[in-house]
């Protein structure tokens, strides 16, 4: 794990993209998933050396990388794939690959060069045998390390050979042979986190994870390791011969990272005669605001489409341009005719426009109409399409809202079903006349858009709507500032900070006719009719929205609704300050990002990610439960040369809660930010145990999980859902569990594969035995594969060693024997690798049953308390078996260890040892490279999303 947070960078995502928060969140979620996969390996496989390139398990790590890359390519090129699984495997690959530069002697000998053959079909440099000394002793006390006491402790060889660090507690440990070897031995990991291994010849260590002499004896090589890891990540993505893009294609990589051109602005306008009077008064102010938008956020494409008479059953022209002047000319040149009493094909128009080649991802769609939709039974198809490309649909509806009668839910569901297609034209007109508003609102709700009733008796003046639309045309994504449910008067004060580019206040529970007053921090009241940058509209359902463009920062603004006692007010805004958080739980020895729901009453740390904070600061982290109870925690800082990291230690409440932060901006004005999602705490912990096998057609895969009640004990049930449905092929002995507090229960389940190259999604849910409320949920995606399946390994026979021999100097006087069998499901077993063994004292013989079945018999001295054997097939896939002779007993070094680190220090180490920045920086470099490739144009505006 490399500490890369201290590294300066001139590359910043903000410099590459337009301000599109929703788009950034999509891109960010892809990068987060890649980082999380690496974190999961760090936590779940922390004792398995080859995942970290430690313990001289470099060849094993090499084959692991080779297998991962082959699997990534296979999955990414399937006709129907799961990109979340691809991101997970990329994260695992990058973790192990980048660990190579921190844990081995490569950087000390080769500097910043990339080891290009790592994870390929080419042969590696030789790796030092497990019985060969590779390091001299050095003093790893912090003050001595500062004087470079460990620099030069790696034993040089000619020709060069690879070696790597041994970390105490991992499965591959130093052989007992080195207990009394004096000044030389195997290289240690070293530093404050290593425990006893670094006190064992060769003492000291070679890890380059951080710039801290306390934690990294080779801190002086840290920068070279970072630079090499960044270059290696670029090589993995972009190399013309071995790069991932060369294998899967640029468009597929674009989908994996969710990097797309800036989304278009789309206008779909009903040009039947009834809309003429409505739209004529809007043309000039609408096009003027479109020109204003061009100066602030330049969309890549403008699309103007027309809805015509129902008899046409299609969109009349989809005009596309990159020039705002063309869009203005088309809008001003619209001609209105036809129509009458018939609904139009609005949904067909929307669907065809979104399917057009110019629509693209992240579209902002504005539909203008005054009639119902003749094709309302296409609702599901339309919303599904819109969601797939992250299109947001706003409908500006000029029809009557008052005329419709109230229908119950079943009527509306019927209208949206295929059954309604059996109605005659007259019946359809009668139904849609009453429910057209509800049907349209269903579309806007499902696409995160807004249904705006433009009729003057409900929507206010057209000018108000246009002023509102101007900010709606901005790239999507709002920052939540605060939200309050009020019971004794509908009024609220709130801060407005300098990061806000526009302010939006949503009020629910106020009638359409009530007076709403908004005052800024100077007590100036906004006149929404006269103020060019302020708007107020009514959305129906007792919902109002107030907006102010470029609000003047100050403490405090105030909104008040007359004649209303109970309401909900939510304040949001388009903000340059982006706020994310990571909820992490203490593990051994680090804090790790949490998987699943946090445990009630548990002690966690919240680590904040803040973009564009500039000279501002965070003061507190607030947890607010559903009953309104709040707990505030002081935000602490860790300062590096790259950024200030904020974190707070918190106690998880027993009810659903939200996370918010408060602080001050660079003008010393208060800011508040509220997380978008609620956190659902749980009393029970679910952990799927690591597995290293494939799901194969008509063969069983065994998975195990642990279930632990961490609070007070209770009865639980586990439910498994599969996609595709495989209920008859998933077997678990029991689904009900009676748990005692703190005592984990392990359960095995078997899954039988079906079709080759089919992806199977397992959704495992945990709830109380008498409830359907999900307390923990885990999703695992498995690839069913035959041709690409990994080999399997089975321990056939294992001997034993008397403990009187195992940990003694004369351990070689006693011996043991064991055997394992490898079965290759594709190719043949071509070689084996030993780990944790003094090779001079291990003899291996083999016998085969064809190329696909090989049994190895091992004979060794009791100096080897356990031995790992890895079988490698001809296609580079592998399997590993462990022969455990000591019953899990650890080598008793009987050497004093440094005092334990403080909790805060461990937290900081966990943060700074993350691989996040290497991944982010490398992907940004990839995006810059992709920008240069796209259309060959330097003026291409990128959009992460």
């Amino acid at each position: 794990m490399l500490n890369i947070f201290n590294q300066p960078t001139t590359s910043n995502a903000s410099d590459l993209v337009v301000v599109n928060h929703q788009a950034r969140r999509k891109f960010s979620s892809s990068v987060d998933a890649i980082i999380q996969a690496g974190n999961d390996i760090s936590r779940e496989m922390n004792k398995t050396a080859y995942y970290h390139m430690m313990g001289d398990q470099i060849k094993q790590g090499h084959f692991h990388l080779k297998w991962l890359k082959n699997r990534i390519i296979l999955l990414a090129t399937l006709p129907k794939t799961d990109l979340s699984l691809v991101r997970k495997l990329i994260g695992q690959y990058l973790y192990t690959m980048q660990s190579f530069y921190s844990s081995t002697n490569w950087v000390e000998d080769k500097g910043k060069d990339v080891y290009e053959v790592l994870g390929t079909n080419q042969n590696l440099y030789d790796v030092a045998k497990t019985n060969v000394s590779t390091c001299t002793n050095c003093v790893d006390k912090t003050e001595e390390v500062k004087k470079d006491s460990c620099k030069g402790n790696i034993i040089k060889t000619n020709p060069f050979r690879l070696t790597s660090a041994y970390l105490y507690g991992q499965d591959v440990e130093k052989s007992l042979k080195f207990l009394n070897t004096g000044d030389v031995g195997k290289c240690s990991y070293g530093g404050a986190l290593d425990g006893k291994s670094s006190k064992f010849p060769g003492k000291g260590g070679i890890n380059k994870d951080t710039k801290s002499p306390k934690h990294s004896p080779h801190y002086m090589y840290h920068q070279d390791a970072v630079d090499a890891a960044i270059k290696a990540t670029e090589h993995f993505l972009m190399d013309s011969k071995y790069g991932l893009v060369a294998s899967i294609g640029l468009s597929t990589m674009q989908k994996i990272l969710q990097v797309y051109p800036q989304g278009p602005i789309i206008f779909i306008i009903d040009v039947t005669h009834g809309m003429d009077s409505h739209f004529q008064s809007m043309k000039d102010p609408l096009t003027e605001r479109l020109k204003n938008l061009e100066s602030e956020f330049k969309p890549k494409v403008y699309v103007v489409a027309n809805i015509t008479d129902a008899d046409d059953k299609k969109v009349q022209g989809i005009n596309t341009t990159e020039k705002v002047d063309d869009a203005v000319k088309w809008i001003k040149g619209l001609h209105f005719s036809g129509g009458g009493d018939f609904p139009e094909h609005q949904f067909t128009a929307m669907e065809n426009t979104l399917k057009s080649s110019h629509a693209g991802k992240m579209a902002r769609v504005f539909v203008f109409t005054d009639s119902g939709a003749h094709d309302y039974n296409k609702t599901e198809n339309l919303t599904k399409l819109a969601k797939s490309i992250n299109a947001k649909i706003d409908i500006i509806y000029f029809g009557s809202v008052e005329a419709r009668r109230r229908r119950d839910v079943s009527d509306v569901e019927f209208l949206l079903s295929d059954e309604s297609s059996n109605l005659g034209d007259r019946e359809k007109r009668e139904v849609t006349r009453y429910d057209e508003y509800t049907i349209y609102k269903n579309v806007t709700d499902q696409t995160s858009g807004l249904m705006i009733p433009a009729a003057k008796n409900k929507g206010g003046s057209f000018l108000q709507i246009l002023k509102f639309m101007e900010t709606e045309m901005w790239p999507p994504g709002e920052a939540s500032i605060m939200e309050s449910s009020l019971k004794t008067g509908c009024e609220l004060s709130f801060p407005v900070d300098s990061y806000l580019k526009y302010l939006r206040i949503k009020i629910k529970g106020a009638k359409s006719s009530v007076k709403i007053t908004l005052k800024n921090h100077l007590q100036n009241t906004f006149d929404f009719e006269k103020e060019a940058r302020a708007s107020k509209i009514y959305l129906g359902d007792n919902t109002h929205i107030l907006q102010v463009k470029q609000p003047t920062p100050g403490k405090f603004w105030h909104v008040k609704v007359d004649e209303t006692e109970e309401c909900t007010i939510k304040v949001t805004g388009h903000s340059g300050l982006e706020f994310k958080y990571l909820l992490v739980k203490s593990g051994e020895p680090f804090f790790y990002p949490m998987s699943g729901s946090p445990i009630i009453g548990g002690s966690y740390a919240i680590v904040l990610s803040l973009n564009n904070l500039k000279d501002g600061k965070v003061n507190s982290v607030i947890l607010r439960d559903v009953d309104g109870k709040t707990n505030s925690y002081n935000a602490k800082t860790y300062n590096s040369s790259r950024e200030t990291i904020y974190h707070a230690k918190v106690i998880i409440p027993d009810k659903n809660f939200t996370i918010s932060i408060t602080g001050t901006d660079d003008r010393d004005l208060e800011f508040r930010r509220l997380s978008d999602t609620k956190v659902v705490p749980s009393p029970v912990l679910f952990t799927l145990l690591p597995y290293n096998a494939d799901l194969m057609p008509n063969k069983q895969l065994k998975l195990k999980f642990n279930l632990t009640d961490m609070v007070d004990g209770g009865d639980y049930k586990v439910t498994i859902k599969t996609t595709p449905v495989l209920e008859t092929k998933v077997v678990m002995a029991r689904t009900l569990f009676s748990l005692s507090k703190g005592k984990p229960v392990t359960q095995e389940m078997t899954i039988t594969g079906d079709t080759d190259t089919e992806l199977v999604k397992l959704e495992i849910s945990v709830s109380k035995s008498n409830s359907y409320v999900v307390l923990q949920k885990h999703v695992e995606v498995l690839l069913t594969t035959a041709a690409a399946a990994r080999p399997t390994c089975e321990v056939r026979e294992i001997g034993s060693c008397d403990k009187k021999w195992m940990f003694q100097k004369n351990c070689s006087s006693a011996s043991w024997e064991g055997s394992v069998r490898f079965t290759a499901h594709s190719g043949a077993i071509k070689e084996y690798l030993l780990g944790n063994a003094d090779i001079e004292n291990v003899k291996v013989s083999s016998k085969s049953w064809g190329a696909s079945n090989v049994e190895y018999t091992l004979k060794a001295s009791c100096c080897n308390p356990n031995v790992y054997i890895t079988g490698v097939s001809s296609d580079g896939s592998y399997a590993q078996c462990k022969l455990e002779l000591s019953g899990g007993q650890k080598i008793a070094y009987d050497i004093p260890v440094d005092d334990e680190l403080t909790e805060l220090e461990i937290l900081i180490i966990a943060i700074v040892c993350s691989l996040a920045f290497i991944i982010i920086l490398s992907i940004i470099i990839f995006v810059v490279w992709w920008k240069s490739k796209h259309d060959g144009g330097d003026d291409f505006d990128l959009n992460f999303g």
Side-chain angles (χ1 to χ4, degrees), residues 13 352 575 685 740:
N352 288 346
S575 171
L685 179 66
S740 300

Side-chain angles (χ1 to χ4, degrees), residues 715-854:
D715 296 328
Y716 297 88
K717 63 182 176 184
V718 175
T719 305
I720 301 176
K721 177 184 175 182
T722 61
T723 308
V725 179
L726 296 173
E727 281 91 344
T728 58
K729 297 185 179 181
V730 179
V731 178
M732 189 164 62
R734 56 173 174 162
T735 58
L736 298 177
F737 300 85
S738 184
L739 304 178
S740 300
K741 179 181 176 180
K743 295 183 178 180
V745 171
T746 302
Q747 178 63 45
E748 181 179 275
M749 59 180 173
T750 60
I751 305 166
T752 304
D754 190 2
T755 306
D756 190 24
T757 71
E758 179 180 63
L759 288 169
V760 178
K761 180 184 289 186
L762 295 181
E763 295 184 22
I764 307 170
S765 302
V766 183
S767 58
K768 286 283 190 179
S769 60
N770 58 354
S771 171
Y772 291 99
V773 177
V774 175
L775 300 172
Q776 293 284 8
K777 185 175 182 179
H778 179 89
V779 177
E780 192 77 7
V781 181
L782 303 169
L783 172 67
T784 308
T785 179
R790 283 172 284 187
T792 52
C793 181
E794 176 189 7
V795 176
R796 305 284 288 175
E797 182 180 354
I798 187 169
S800 62
C801 284
D802 194 311
K803 291 181 181 178
K804 71 179 182 180
W805 298 109
M806 286 192 61
F807 300 106
Q808 308 302 319
K809 296 177 183 178
N810 57 348
C811 55
S812 59
S813 301
S815 62
W816 58 269
E817 182 175 319
S819 63
V820 298
R821 177 177 293 178
F822 289 98
T823 300
H825 302 286
S826 61
I829 300 296
K830 69 172 187 177
E831 65 176 302
Y832 68 88
L833 303 168
L834 293 178
N836 217 38
D838 180 351
I839 293 178
E840 288 181 348
N841 291 316
V842 178
K843 293 181 173 59
V844 181
S845 58
S846 66
K847 56 182 178 180
S848 302
W849 295 267
S852 60
N853 288 279
V854 180

Side-chain angles (χ1 to χ4, degrees), residues 7 140 151 234 321 358 553 579 671 680 760 798 802 818 845:
Q7 307 312 312
D140 67 345
K151 187 175 184 179
E234 295 172 41
T321 181
H358 298 289
F579 152 55
F671 72 79
V680 181
V760 178
I798 187 169
D802 194 311
S845 58

Side-chain angles (χ1 to χ4, degrees), residues 563-780:
E563 304 173 21
T564 305
E565 288 298 308
E566 296 187 12
C567 72
T568 298
I569 300 178
K570 183 173 184 180
V571 183
T572 61
H574 207 291
S575 171
L577 174 66
E578 297 183 24
F579 152 55
K580 291 197 306 180
Y581 68 86
L582 191 64
L583 195 58
V584 296
K585 177 64 177 173
S586 178
E588 293 296 336
F590 299 126
F591 276 74
Y592 288 98
M594 180 201 69
S595 296
S597 298
I599 300 301
I600 294 170
S603 177
Y604 288 74
I606 292 177
V607 182
L608 303 178
S609 174
L610 298 156
N611 289 338
N612 302 316
L613 183 62
K614 299 179 182 177
D615 293 328
K617 64 178 181 179
V618 179
N619 296 325
S620 60
V621 176
I622 300 170
L623 273 55
R624 181 186 180 95
D625 69 22
V626 290
D627 294 334
K629 181 181 178 181
T630 60
N631 290 298
S632 181
Y633 302 90
N634 291 331
K636 299 179 181 180
T637 62
Y638 170 77
N639 294 306
S640 73
S641 60
R642 193 179 77 88
E643 67 176 352
T644 298
I645 300 168
Y646 288 90
H647 61 275
K649 182 179 176 181
V650 302
I651 303 297
I652 300 299
D654 60 358
K655 294 181 175 66
N656 296 359
F657 63 92
T658 56
I659 297 173
S660 61
I661 61 173
T662 64
T664 54
D665 62 18
D666 51 6
R667 301 185 189 180
D668 207 29
L669 294 172
E670 179 183 354
F671 72 79
R672 298 183 185 182
R673 294 294 183 270
L674 175 68
S675 64
D676 294 327
T677 56
K678 285 185 172 62
V679 181
V680 181
S682 171
V684 66
L685 179 66
F686 174 90
T687 306
L688 183 68
L689 300 182
Y691 60 96
N692 203 15
D694 288 315
L695 183 63
M696 292 182 281
N698 302 313
K699 294 188 178 182
Q700 290 185 341
L701 172 66
K702 293 182 179 180
L703 300 178
K704 293 182 179 181
F705 62 82
N706 281 345
L707 206 59
T708 313
D709 188 311
M710 305 297 292
V711 179
D712 54 13
D715 296 328
Y716 297 88
K717 63 182 176 184
V718 175
T719 305
I720 301 176
K721 177 184 175 182
T722 61
T723 308
V725 179
L726 296 173
E727 281 91 344
T728 58
K729 297 185 179 181
V730 179
V731 178
M732 189 164 62
R734 56 173 174 162
T735 58
L736 298 177
F737 300 85
S738 184
L739 304 178
S740 300
K741 179 181 176 180
K743 295 183 178 180
V745 171
T746 302
Q747 178 63 45
E748 181 179 275
M749 59 180 173
T750 60
I751 305 166
T752 304
D754 190 2
T755 306
D756 190 24
T757 71
E758 179 180 63
L759 288 169
V760 178
K761 180 184 289 186
L762 295 181
E763 295 184 22
I764 307 170
S765 302
V766 183
S767 58
K768 286 283 190 179
S769 60
N770 58 354
S771 171
Y772 291 99
V773 177
V774 175
L775 300 172
Q776 293 284 8
K777 185 175 182 179
H778 179 89
V779 177
E780 192 77 7

